[in-house]
Amino acid sequence: MSQEASPRGTFQRIAEQLKAEIDADPAMTELPSVAELIDKYEVSRGVVLRAFGVLRKEGAAESVPGGRWRVIRRGQSADRRPLAERLVDVFVDDGLEVGAAFPSASALSVRFGVSRPTVTKALEKLEAAGWLSAGGQGKVRTVRSVPNREERS
């Protein structure tokens, strides 16, 4: 049986091809889905997951909630803090004062690359801490107090 016909090493070949795609496209931030790769390479889910495992081990990609995989570029560091902690930085980054409107959950989901429900849960934590007014459908959240440096770190 030839190397091409053998299932052994198929996941490594797929991983190498994905690395080549990552290197060829500097704008690539997310890998194709498992389903897309199953169709493209006509392999099982397990083979695709093993290829993703190779990319994770080599530091080229990481899994994100929802079953997707994010590309990690050399020299790039990802912010691993919980979303609620990263949202606290919005106060300073956007220069928000007490009474100012806080960005919407939709805008924040795009900004941080996460789902709206994930943002909503993080915003609820900021509301519980007393930094934001309660939001709701069609209701704009406003800044109640600005976290000081100790609270932000």
Side-chain angles (χ1 to χ4, degrees):
M1 183 180 268
S2 72
Q3 177 67 17
E4 285 296 304
S6 171
R8 294 180 188 263
T10 302
F11 70 95
Q12 292 170 330
R13 206 170 60 250
I14 293 170
E16 290 300 321
Q17 291 174 353
L18 288 171
K19 283 192 286 186
E21 288 179 33
I22 292 168
D23 291 341
D25 184 2
M28 182 183 222
T29 58
E30 196 172 83
L31 294 175
S33 70
V34 173
E36 292 168 341
L37 294 174
I38 288 171
D39 289 342
K40 180 178 179 178
Y41 294 106
E42 298 177 348
V43 294
S44 70
R45 183 175 189 273
V47 171
V48 173
L49 292 177
R50 286 185 73 188
F52 283 161
V54 169
L55 296 175
R56 176 188 306 166
K57 187 175 180 181
E58 295 179 0
E62 66 181 352
S63 63
V64 293
R68 299 299 291 201
W69 285 76
R70 176 182 11 225
V71 173
I72 301 174
R73 302 279 175 193
R74 286 183 173 82
Q76 173 188 7
S77 63
D79 191 347
R80 304 266 188 249
R81 295 178 298 158
L83 183 60
E85 290 179 24
R86 292 188 291 161
L87 286 178
V88 172
D89 293 342
V90 172
F91 290 93
V92 175
D93 295 345
D94 292 4
L96 299 177
E97 300 287 331
V98 173
F102 201 76
S104 69
S106 296
L108 292 168
S109 70
V110 170
R111 183 171 174 175
F112 290 97
V114 296
S115 69
R116 256 188 28 247
T118 300
V119 171
T120 301
K121 288 178 185 176
L123 288 170
E124 288 170 356
K125 291 179 181 180
L126 298 184
E127 291 170 8
W131 295 330
L132 294 177
S133 66
Q137 185 174 0
K139 189 173 178 187
V140 177
R141 285 181 177 84
T142 57
V143 177
R144 291 180 63 198
S145 69
V146 179
N148 61 33
R149 277 192 183 148
E150 291 79 38
E151 293 171 320
R152 285 193 312 243
S153 46

